[in-house]
Amino acid sequence: MSTDRRAPSREAILAVHRFPGPYMIKAFGPAGPNFRASVLEHAHAVAGATRVSVHERATRSGDRVCVTLTLQAERIEEVEDVYERLYSLPDLLLIL
């Protein structure tokens, strides 16, 4: 199993997205304020609060949450930076 955790390849991103434009990232982790706040903090650090919209959905059990970020990304580097920052979260379970 690879421990290389990073954004999809530039080629894969550019094959389906145009910049500037919206880009969606889903981060899954434990439900609770710390994970949510960390996800938002990392996204806002890259794109600013005005270019990030957020939607949350908890599992039926309520113990995990999916935080969906829609970035109004100006450049592919912003997307790569958000992925890198999110992968640094110790509570991150999955990222799409």
Side-chain angles (χ1 to χ4, degrees), residues 52-69:
V52 178
S53 61
V54 180
H55 176 69
E56 296 177 17
R57 184 171 181 184
T59 59
R60 285 186 182 168
S61 64
D63 61 341
R64 291 191 170 65
V65 67
C66 171
V67 180
T68 302
L69 304 169

Side-chain angles (χ1 to χ4, degrees), residues 12-71:
I13 293 172
L14 292 172
V16 294
H17 287 84
R18 302 221 185 270
F19 294 93
Y23 189 90
M24 185 182 301
I25 299 174
K26 295 184 177 202
F28 297 81
N34 293 339
F35 179 72
R36 291 178 181 119
S38 295
V39 169
L40 289 176
E41 178 183 325
H42 287 309
H44 289 168
V46 174
T50 61
R51 291 195 294 129
V52 178
S53 61
V54 180
H55 176 69
E56 296 177 17
R57 184 171 181 184
T59 59
R60 285 186 182 168
S61 64
D63 61 341
R64 291 191 170 65
V65 67
C66 171
V67 180
T68 302
L69 304 169
T70 302
L71 309 171

